[in-house]
Amino acid sequence: MANSTHTPAEQAHRTIHAGGEWLAASSGATREILDPADALPFAVVAEGDEKDTDLAVAAARRAFDAGDWPHTPVTERAALLRRVADLLVRDREKLGLLESRDAGKTVEEGRVDIDCVADAFRYFADLVAGEAPGRVVDAGSPDIHSVVVHEPVGVCAMITPWNYPLLQASWKIAPALAAGNTFVIKPSEITPMTTVALIDLLVEAGLPTGVANIVTGPGHTVGARLAEHPDVDLVSFTGGLVSGTKVARAAAVTVKKVALELGGKNPNVVFADACETEEGFDTAVDQALNAAFIHSGQVCSAGGRLIVEESVRERFVAELARRAQKIRLGRGTEDGVECGPLVSEQQRAKTEDYVASALAEGAELRCGGKRPEPSPQRPESGYFYEPTVLDHCHREMRVVREEVFGPVLTVETFRTEDEAVALANDTEYGLAGAVWTADAGRARRVAGRLRHGTVWINDFHPYLPQAEWGGFGKSGVGRELGPAGLAEYRESKHVYQNLAPKPVRWFSG
């Protein structure tokens, strides 16, 4: 936190940043942040509400309307983003550990997240620094100078999820700042700590007062107010479908720009020819584990739907279940742990409900399906759940249709390429998917037919900051990352200059 005359206990509660000051909630309310590995509090934050949100929006509005940041040369904005990236590298260990305690993931996953956050800041710095100042439009006359320029959209509201707190924040903050906007961010109320830390790094890097603002608090007050606020020009939301539709509905009243990333139900299609060699089989199984169980399946692009060709199904699923049973569960800060807890008791209960419904609907449990035995690495009070493989699943099951956001993998089978594509596209979502095959022609055909925003061929989960990320269908609207991710935070303006004006004589008088 910034320097303060408050006691350490008082300062710990001051996690609302508005107009350059760290503040407590106007109501005095606070929230304990729990470590999901043992359900014990490790931090206390301010519990903001609508009043705090209005204060932060007002600060962002002043900074945009009367401040220097929107007019700062792009080279200077890019330089600041690079300084932020350097500070993230400096604090990698501290932030990686904080992300682990906040979200329950392993420390190594947390470190990788910080690397990706730094990459996002560097990418958008390079993107804006290398751009032409505008696009010249040929008007067909030497007397006309016509150019399309891009300007910041204004005050941006950002609402981020609990699974990748700092990474998802960076996908919004970096392009917004690169474009010259000001912002108010609301991190998830259960995983706010690294986003709070990032605001301090932005200030340390030299970001002007009022450009970056944060309100820690729940969605039904802070998030709802941001979505409807008349002084907010854009709202970018990453989270669940139900909450996302509420955001879109509230934002529509003021006709503000909206970007939504609402998750997915992502197919991982494995053709038999991908498994013809031992190396191919081993790789496909290994990647199916990664697809489903990284961060305990709490990933919007998790490959929770395994769609495998019938001829190799039994061998594939048997080996998958054998390996899943060996995944080492535990506190993410412990050495040797491969998978941490779920983020909350609510999320674990939701996962248990999905598994119970699948079994009632006829699925076969191949492994997992329960809480693990407690151990020194897995306190009984922690929110642990075993990696679970459910065989003989079909499209009518809730667990196949709906996003679980837990360590649950369902298995469906197919016989033909057309059937595989039909199954993979049989979802109201369309975020990501993968196809595994040794046939290059089939790989391109299937990738071309899949209605998903990202398609991996013989891989799962990698993303590039220079490539757009987003989905089809109910996975949302708009894109993050890539040039389109920057464009979300801009308005286009056509400037038409007549260099030789003269009367038109349209009217005779």
Side-chain angles (χ1 to χ4, degrees):
M1 298 296 177
N3 291 333
S4 172
T5 58
H6 298 278
T7 68
E10 291 172 329
Q11 187 65 19
H13 300 169
R14 304 175 77 82
T15 54
I16 294 170
H17 193 262
E21 293 186 67
W22 285 106
L23 306 168
S26 58
S27 67
T30 61
R31 175 188 290 264
E32 290 184 331
I33 304 302
L34 306 182
D35 185 332
D38 55 22
L40 296 176
F42 73 94
V44 178
V45 299
E47 183 85 329
D49 58 19
E50 294 91 343
K51 184 176 179 180
D52 303 299
T53 306
D54 287 347
L55 184 68
V57 171
R61 187 79 261 167
R62 286 194 301 273
F64 185 82
D65 293 341
D68 295 331
W69 184 249
H71 314 290
T72 299
V74 292
T75 53
E76 293 183 28
R77 295 204 298 262
L80 184 136
L81 295 185
R82 294 190 185 102
R83 290 197 295 273
V84 174
D86 292 341
L87 293 172
L88 286 160
V89 172
R90 181 198 70 186
D91 292 350
R92 180 178 187 260
E93 289 302 312
K94 178 176 70 175
L95 292 171
L97 177 61
L98 188 57
E99 198 78 324
S100 173
R101 296 202 69 188
D102 221 5
K105 61 183 64 180
T106 66
V107 172
E108 184 55 35
E109 287 180 83
R111 295 186 187 113
V112 171
D113 285 357
I114 305 310
D115 293 339
C116 292
V117 171
D119 288 344
F121 275 90
R122 289 197 181 98
Y123 168 71
F124 284 107
D126 293 344
L127 183 61
V128 294
E131 284 186 320
R135 187 180 88 246
V136 175
V137 178
D138 185 0
S141 169
D143 292 333
I144 301 299
H145 180 261
S146 179
V147 62
V148 174
V149 296
H150 301 292
E151 298 183 355
V153 69
V155 175
C156 302
M158 304 167 180
I159 304 172
T160 55
W162 47 258
N163 60 332
Y164 285 89
L166 196 58
L167 185 64
Q168 291 294 323
S170 73
W171 286 14
K172 303 178 190 302
I173 291 173
L177 292 180
N181 296 285
T182 63
F183 71 86
V184 180
I185 190 166
K186 189 208 89 68
S188 167
E189 58 267 34
I190 59 176
T191 59
M193 301 309 298
T194 51
T195 309
V196 171
L198 178 59
I199 300 299
D200 261 341
L201 296 187
L202 292 172
V203 173
E204 183 179 349
L207 192 67
T209 297
V211 174
N213 305 273
I214 183 172
V215 182
T216 51
H220 70 273
T221 54
V222 179
R225 181 58 179 152
L226 285 173
E228 70 182 13
H229 204 295
D231 283 339
V232 167
D233 301 296
L234 172 150
V235 58
S236 178
F237 172 88
T238 300
L241 176 59
V242 173
S243 296
T245 55
K246 291 179 180 178
V247 167
R249 193 175 296 118
V253 176
T254 51
V255 201
K256 57 174 59 72
K257 292 185 72 174
V258 176
L260 305 171
E261 202 265 74
L262 305 179
K265 193 64 183 176
N266 312 290
N268 185 22
V269 180
V270 179
F271 285 89
D273 62 8
C275 304
E276 288 177 349
T277 67
E278 286 303 312
E279 181 180 6
F281 177 79
D282 174 66
T283 300
V285 172
D286 175 77
Q287 289 275 17
L289 289 170
N290 292 342
F293 300 129
I294 287 289
H295 193 18
S296 292
Q298 299 170 118
V299 185
C300 59
S301 57
R305 289 182 68 199
L306 174 64
I307 302 174
V308 60
E309 192 163 352
E310 190 172 281
S311 61
V312 295
R313 170 176 160 269
E314 183 50 43
R315 181 188 177 212
F316 197 98
V317 176
E319 179 62 11
L320 184 71
R322 185 188 71 80
R323 296 189 195 185
Q325 288 176 303
K326 292 188 173 184
I327 292 174
R328 295 190 292 274
L329 294 180
R331 187 189 296 271
T333 55
E334 297 284 341
D335 291 338
V337 167
E338 297 172 322
C339 202
L342 294 174
V343 75
S344 65
E345 177 56 41
Q346 179 185 19
Q347 197 61 28
R348 181 169 63 178
K350 177 184 172 184
T351 301
E352 290 174 325
D353 180 64
Y354 273 114
V355 172
S357 72
L359 296 178
E361 292 170 331
E364 177 187 348
L365 183 66
R366 299 295 292 260
C367 71
K370 64 182 187 301
R371 302 181 185 189
E373 291 296 321
S375 73
Q377 288 184 319
R378 296 189 300 271
E380 187 172 7
S381 56
Y383 310 130
F384 296 97
Y385 195 78
E386 291 183 356
T388 300
V389 176
L390 296 169
D391 202 358
H392 298 292
C393 294
H394 54 78
R395 184 66 181 88
E396 285 68 37
M397 293 177 174
R398 282 183 57 230
V399 74
V400 174
R401 298 193 313 272
E402 300 174 13
E403 190 174 35
V404 177
F405 241 61
V408 177
L409 177 65
T410 62
V411 181
E412 302 163 80
T413 59
F414 66 91
R415 293 182 180 180
T416 68
E417 183 177 311
D418 285 345
E419 186 181 2
V421 170
L423 283 171
N425 284 336
D426 189 9
T427 172
E428 63 182 3
Y429 294 100
L431 184 61
V435 54
W436 290 82
T437 178
D439 184 330
R442 170 184 283 159
R444 288 191 293 272
R445 284 195 308 273
V446 173
R449 296 173 67 188
L450 292 182
R451 297 283 296 168
H452 299 273
T454 294
V455 177
W456 296 289
I457 297 174
N458 297 335
D459 210 330
F460 210 102
H461 276 319
Y463 80 93
L464 302 171
Q466 60 268 36
E468 280 75 0
W469 180 267
F472 295 8
K474 291 186 178 179
S475 283
V477 294
R479 291 293 183 269
E480 295 189 296
L481 304 180
L486 178 62
E488 295 285 350
Y489 293 91
R490 285 174 159 175
E491 297 282 12
S492 296
K493 176 186 286 185
H494 179 205
V495 179
Y496 180 103
Q497 182 180 7
N498 190 335
L499 302 175
K502 56 186 177 181
V504 176
R505 305 301 185 194
W506 185 272
F507 300 105
S508 59

